[in-house]
Amino acid sequence: MKRALGNRVLREFSYAVFLSLCLVLVMTSCNSSPSAPPPDTMPPSAPANLAVTSASSTQVNLSWTASTDNVGVTGYMVERCQGAACSNFVQISTPTGTTFNNMGLTASTSYSYRVRATDAASNLSAYSSTASAGTPAPPDTTPPTAPTNLTGTAASASQINLAWTASTDNVGVTGYMVERCTGAGCSNFAQFAAPTGTTFNDTGLAATTSYSYRVRATDAAGNLSPYSTIATVSTMAGPDTIPPNAPTNLMVTAVSDTQINLVWTASTDDVGVTGYMVERCQGAACSNFVQISTPTATTFSDTGLTGTTSYSYRVRATDAAGNLSSYSSTGTASTATGPISVVITPVRGGATFSQSMNFTANLQNDVSAAGVTWTASGGTFSSQGKTTATYVAPNAVGNATITATSIADVTKSASANIGVTDLVGVTTYHNNPSRDGVNSHEFALTTANVKTSTFGKLFSCPVDGEVYAQPLWMPNLAIGGGTHNVVFVATQNDSIYAFDADASPCHQYWQRSFLRAGVTAVPFADTGTDDINKTIGITGTPVIDPATNILYAIVKTKEGTANYHQRLYAVNLADGKDKVTAVDITPAITVSGTGDTGDPSVGCTSTPGNVPFCPLREGQRAGLALANGIVYVAWASHGDRPPYHGWIMGFNASTIARVSTFNDSPNGREGGIWMSGGAPAFDSSNNIYVITGNGDFNSANGDFGDSFLKLNSGLTLQDWFTPAVQGILDAQDLDLGSGGAVVLVDLPSSPVPHVLIGGGKGTNSLGQIYVVNRDNMGHFNSSSDNIVQQFPLGAGIFSTAAYWQNTLYIAGVRQSLKAFTLNPSNSQFNPVATLQSVATFGFPGAPPSVSSAGTTNGIVWAMDTSNNGTPTGTGNGPALLRAFDATNLAELWNSSQGSGNAAGFAVKFCVPTVANGKVYIGTQTELDVYGLLPN
């Protein structure tokens, strides 16, 4: 301000003058020239949304969103590189707008682009994102080649099938155009189909008409090939509806007793005869014709006819269209009288002493109906007719031959072979008191006829529960108004059945059920275990007294809450009725001891110092026994549920009053006598032998777990043997008594003439077999066993062995059936099996039985019951019955062979009963009967 006003002092001017001067200065400044602006250094923003589109094989179009700038965008720079994943970009254009069409490109090539913006100051934006596109291939203008080898085939009166060799194309053939014209020499082709393959079936055509075809190919660009050559085909004639004429001059001639020959004059047809249908009926003046043959010629030989029989025939012709002619005339002829033939039924079987059997003779060509004469090598006939007879077996063992001989031609006959047995019955477990499992009175079953062609399942009898007990068999029993062989079956539903042992289909004489209102079999859950996993009723095998025809059985029932009973019944074999009142075996029965005082939760108590019998806890698994007028019953447990003991009781067979009682662990625990269903064995002096299971052992206290015991008929302990490993067996649940005892035959040449054999699970479950001197059993020695012999089987034993001809047969768990040979001079076995089967048995092994005719035709029978439906089984399925030759253990037959031989579902520990040419086995729902097939 001072420069503007010079050296004048500001205060010398008034305020108005000052304002005027300022206005002059401002106006002067506005009219003066401007100074230079600052430079533009800010670049545009990058182009966005770059899009690249292939427009043709030589052009790609680009577009993007415009950039912005502080001054203004003046244009763009487009860069390009060529090839997939390229990076060598080169600027190719500088458009001012936001689109660019890149032309002159190479077809089928990938291009990548990027764009940047510029302004007037040449500031460059960042690049856009990169975008790529490929140019397509150039247009296809090359047509396919012409189809070749066009053929046409008339398929019917209305269809022609076409086929040709495919065309080729530089890109690819997409289909064909089929053209057709109608009529001979036609040329007015018209397209009517466009298949993609090289065949086409033209349908809906007119019969007997000429059609011409040509084909051309096309590709995706619509290029058309030249035409193929022309194929001309005529459709077939229309359907043939005219039948042939009837055959004539039918001649029928009998040439033998089994053959008639036919000949006729050929039929004619407008197209052609393709064959003939021959029909026949049998008998004079018959009319029920049935077609029997379709020959193509004008002759036919009818064979396999019946002698001395009239046959009538008629014939008709047919053509390819199935048109049938009228029938020829009927021709009749009678076959000549052929040789007589005789067939007898049954052709094989078994019979007991004096058993009656009915036979029938079927004759062919017995024109005079003369019939047959009947003869037998043994026995008699109670009646004889021309074609039937009733044979009565002799009272002598062996084989009898029954022969039917034609009266009209005595050179023609047929025979049946019957094995006659003197077997007095299978009345106890494992056949006899020694429990050797042998029926040496079997003359019908042999190693030659137990095979699929002659042996199999005969019939079954339904029952109301599982059959754990061995079926029992009695011959020549007065029952049902006659004399019959009868088989008795006991079930876990507390029933006993009497079935005819021979009648097919099954015939039931009676059923005795011990259940009534409020009385049931025991539910298995009540025992607290599932060793038997359905119901528990009659478990142990009953015993029959053949002298009185009484069957004895223990029946277990539940009668209200915690009210359990076991009763001994004595029933009449003829009708199942009680011979005497049943005996209730209750907790009132005690022995002196400190073992326990029962289980009040199941209604079983006693006073201190007295061990009671507990009906629920005690499992009656062992078979019943009968000796010297006393019925013996042994008990163990259900699945080791305490408290229980090994009990044996004796009952008078006439009154069934209890006469003796034995408890093998009165001052201890357990020691059950179950033996996998085996029964107490007896020697000739009626001494009793059993094997006990896990339990306390203290001989001074009278406790004998895991021991062999010998008792007299009054159940007083006489002798015993306890293995040195008893403590191990008891501690590890390796019952010695899981197997039954077998009393062997006397061996007079041996220093140990009286031996007993048995075995159980064994240490490490290896199934130890013990041979014990019955006259000096050895007691207990902690360092060594004072017995005749012991050796391992190699698997646990849950069965009673069989013994025949100085050979012991036994099947351990999951093992083969094995045979061990006894040396009768020292009462010892070869500890290495001399024979063994190829077949093996699952759990629990098998108790074998042996049938033989004395010392010959030994057959070992054993059942695989591993599919028994219990937790220890391998499933739930049919039992498998097996038969082995006893001399080499070669398998002769099993029930999985052939048709219709499958058994019912298995029950563990079951024993086959062999008697009179038949084998009886119990299952979960039925008794199955196997035997010699009658024809």
Side-chain angles (χ1 to χ4, degrees):
M1 179 66 73
K2 287 182 178 182
R3 284 194 298 267
L5 299 179
N7 293 321
R8 293 185 181 186
V9 181
L10 182 60
R11 62 178 178 263
E12 295 178 4
F13 294 90
S14 68
Y15 185 73
V17 174
F18 176 73
L19 287 176
S20 299
L21 287 173
C22 286
L23 180 62
V24 170
L25 288 173
V26 170
M27 294 295 292
T28 304
S29 176
C30 290
N31 292 328
S32 65
S33 299
S35 61
D40 177 13
T41 61
M42 183 176 296
S45 64
N49 302 318
L50 176 61
V52 178
T53 305
S54 176
S56 71
S57 61
T58 60
Q59 178 176 329
V60 172
N61 295 341
L62 290 75
S63 65
W64 57 89
T65 301
S67 299
T68 60
D69 186 68
N70 64 321
V71 176
V73 174
T74 59
Y76 296 91
M77 298 175 182
V78 179
E79 296 183 8
R80 179 188 73 200
C81 67
Q82 180 176 333
C86 64
S87 61
N88 52 336
F89 286 92
V90 175
Q91 183 176 313
I92 59 169
S93 183
T94 56
T96 57
T98 58
T99 61
F100 171 67
N101 295 337
N102 189 192
M103 296 179 289
L105 301 179
T106 303
S108 304
T109 303
S110 174
Y111 294 92
S112 296
Y113 299 85
R114 64 186 183 186
V115 183
R116 65 196 314 184
T118 185
D119 59 15
S122 298
N123 295 310
L124 297 176
S125 74
Y127 285 108
S128 69
S129 59
T130 300
S132 300
T135 53
D140 176 19
T141 58
T142 303
T145 62
T148 57
N149 302 317
L150 175 63
T151 61
T153 305
S156 70
S158 61
Q159 180 173 327
I160 291 174
N161 296 343
L162 302 176
W164 56 89
T165 301
S167 298
T168 59
D169 187 69
N170 64 319
V171 177
V173 173
T174 58
Y176 298 89
M177 299 176 178
V178 180
E179 298 183 5
R180 179 186 67 199
C181 65
T182 305
C186 66
S187 60
N188 55 332
F189 287 94
Q191 181 183 328
F192 71 102
T196 57
T198 58
T199 61
F200 177 71
N201 296 337
D202 189 11
T203 59
L205 304 177
T208 321
T209 301
S210 174
Y211 293 91
S212 294
Y213 299 88
R214 64 185 184 186
V215 183
R216 65 197 314 187
T218 184
D219 60 18
N223 299 307
L224 298 177
S225 76
Y227 285 107
S228 67
T229 57
I230 295 173
T232 301
V233 186
S234 293
T235 51
M236 297 177 181
D240 176 15
T241 58
I242 300 175
N245 62 12
T248 57
N249 302 318
L250 174 63
M251 296 182 63
V252 177
T253 306
V255 295
S256 73
D257 61 313
T258 61
Q259 180 173 330
I260 292 175
N261 292 345
L262 288 72
V263 61
W264 57 89
T265 300
S267 298
T268 59
D269 185 69
D270 62 322
V271 176
V273 173
T274 57
Y276 297 89
M277 299 176 180
V278 178
E279 298 182 5
R280 180 188 70 200
C281 65
Q282 180 177 336
C286 64
S287 58
N288 54 333
F289 285 92
V290 175
Q291 181 178 313
I292 59 168
S293 184
T294 56
T296 56
T298 58
T299 61
F300 172 68
S301 296
D302 191 12
T303 58
L305 304 177
T306 302
T308 322
T309 302
S310 174
Y311 294 92
S312 295
Y313 300 85
R314 63 186 185 185
V315 183
R316 66 197 313 187
T318 184
D319 60 18
N323 298 308
L324 298 177
S325 75
S326 301
Y327 286 106
S328 68
S329 58
T330 299
T332 301
S334 294
T335 50
T337 301
I340 289 176
S341 63
V342 184
V343 176
I344 194 171
T345 302
V347 71
R348 61 186 71 85
T352 58
F353 279 7
S354 301
Q355 180 179 344
S356 294
M357 296 183 67
N358 294 323
F359 288 87
T360 300
N362 295 304
L363 292 93
Q364 294 291 327
N365 302 320
D366 185 18
V367 178
S368 61
V372 299
T373 56
W374 297 93
T375 56
S377 63
T380 60
F381 293 94
S382 60
S383 67
Q384 298 183 59
K386 288 186 175 182
T387 57
T388 59
T390 299
Y391 169 73
V392 180
N395 291 335
V397 300
N399 294 95
T401 302
I402 294 85
T403 303
T405 303
S406 168
I407 294 174
D409 183 352
V410 295
T411 66
K412 301 298 188 296
S413 63
S415 297
N417 184 268
I418 303 300
V420 181
T421 182
D422 59 348
L423 183 66
V424 297
V426 179
T427 59
T428 188
Y429 178 87
H430 231 211
N431 293 59
N432 51 53
S434 70
R435 312 305 172 198
D436 63 17
V438 175
N439 168 16
S440 60
H441 302 263
E442 181 52 59
F443 296 93
L445 299 175
T446 69
T447 54
N449 62 24
V450 176
K451 56 186 179 181
T452 54
S453 60
T454 53
F455 184 89
K457 189 173 182 179
L458 301 177
F459 59 94
S460 296
C461 299
V463 295
D464 65 1
E466 293 181 301
V467 181
Y468 271 67
Q470 180 180 346
L472 301 178
W473 178 88
M474 278 290 289
N476 301 320
L477 185 67
I479 190 171
T483 302
H484 305 278
N485 302 326
V486 182
V487 61
F488 297 90
V489 180
T491 76
Q492 291 283 26
N493 199 43
D494 283 327
S495 285
I496 299 175
Y497 292 83
F499 296 113
D500 192 296
D502 304 310
S504 178
C506 179
H507 178 75
Q508 176 181 310
Y509 290 111
W510 54 260
Q511 175 193 359
R512 170 72 185 277
S513 173
F514 298 93
L515 306 180
R516 60 187 184 277
V519 178
T520 68
V522 177
F524 81 91
D526 289 15
T527 68
T529 182
D530 54 5
D531 59 341
I532 298 172
N533 63 342
K534 293 184 175 63
T535 58
I536 302 170
I538 303 174
T539 307
T541 299
V543 66
I544 291 174
D545 184 351
T548 60
N549 286 341
I550 297 175
L551 181 147
Y552 301 90
I554 292 291
V555 177
K556 190 166 187 169
T557 57
K558 180 178 183 180
E559 303 174 15
T561 303
N563 185 10
Y564 302 95
H565 292 264
Q566 293 195 44
R567 293 182 176 89
L568 174 63
Y569 282 86
V571 301
N572 192 324
L573 295 184
D575 54 18
K577 295 179 180 179
D578 291 339
K579 294 288 286 189
V580 293
T581 302
V583 172
D584 198 354
I585 305 167
T586 72
I589 299 172
T590 63
V591 294
S592 297
T594 59
D596 59 73
T597 56
D599 182 353
S601 70
V602 294
C604 175
T605 59
S606 69
T607 58
N610 295 287
V611 178
F613 177 89
C614 292
L616 175 65
R617 294 289 178 235
E618 295 294 329
Q620 205 289 292
R621 184 68 192 89
L624 277 62
L626 174 65
N628 199 32
I630 304 294
V631 177
Y632 295 94
V633 186
W635 284 270
S637 71
H638 290 287
D640 289 329
R641 297 290 292 182
Y644 74 91
H645 302 268
W647 293 80
I648 307 176
M649 298 183 194
F651 301 86
N652 182 285
S654 298
T655 65
I656 61 174
R658 182 170 56 90
V659 294
S660 54
T661 303
F662 173 79
N663 184 306
D664 66 16
S665 57
N667 296 297
R669 47 173 260 287
E670 305 180 359
I673 302 170
W674 65 291
M675 301 186 297
S676 293
F682 293 85
D683 62 19
S684 58
S685 299
N686 291 326
N687 291 307
I688 304 169
Y689 300 86
V690 296
I691 312 177
T692 67
N694 297 329
D696 291 336
F697 170 72
N698 186 327
S699 60
N701 288 342
D703 299 329
F704 291 94
D706 295 299
S707 300
F708 286 76
L709 303 182
K710 175 182 179 179
L711 302 96
N712 65 16
S713 59
L715 296 183
T716 300
L717 183 66
Q718 303 296 299
D719 202 354
W720 47 274
F721 162 67
T722 305
V725 295
Q726 188 276 332
I728 296 174
L729 299 179
D730 180 38
Q732 298 180 11
D733 188 25
L734 297 172
D735 305 62
L736 175 64
S738 63
V742 177
V743 176
L744 301 185
V745 295
D746 292 346
L747 305 168
S749 63
S750 170
V752 187
H754 306 128
V755 292
L756 168 74
I757 185 169
K761 299 175 185 177
T763 55
N764 299 313
S765 295
L766 292 179
Q768 196 78 350
I769 295 176
Y770 297 90
V771 182
V772 180
N773 183 350
R774 301 197 319 258
D775 300 325
N776 183 8
M777 295 180 69
H779 291 195
F780 173 77
N781 187 311
S782 61
S783 59
S784 64
D785 293 329
N786 298 321
I787 58 175
V788 179
Q789 184 187 19
Q790 61 177 292
F791 56 93
L793 177 64
I797 299 170
F798 287 81
S799 62
T800 303
Y803 180 79
W804 180 73
Q805 294 297 295
N806 291 329
T807 303
L808 186 80
Y809 300 93
I810 190 166
V813 175
R814 301 178 184 90
Q815 271 201 341
S816 303
L817 175 67
K818 294 183 177 181
F820 296 90
T821 303
L822 178 77
N823 184 344
S825 67
N826 63 9
S827 300
Q828 293 191 15
F829 288 94
N830 182 344
V832 177
T834 52
L835 302 169
Q836 66 180 38
S837 66
V838 174
T840 58
F841 295 80
F843 180 87
S849 296
V850 177
S851 65
S852 71
T855 62
T856 64
N857 279 310
I859 300 174
V860 183
W861 302 87
M863 292 169 60
D864 188 331
T865 60
S866 54
N867 286 327
N868 52 59
T870 68
T872 55
T874 56
N876 194 30
L880 183 61
L881 175 63
R882 296 183 183 273
F884 303 90
D885 187 324
T887 63
N888 56 24
L889 291 189
E891 188 163 7
L892 303 171
W893 175 92
N894 70 65
S895 57
S896 71
Q897 299 171 348
S899 175
N901 288 326
F905 279 20
V907 174
K908 61 184 178 181
F909 308 125
C910 277
V911 183
T913 297
V914 187
N916 194 31
K918 296 180 178 66
V919 182
Y920 305 88
I921 65 171
T923 72
Q924 294 181 23
T925 58
E926 64 192 30
L927 171 76
D928 289 326
V929 183
Y930 294 85
L932 295 174
L933 302 175
N935 294 303

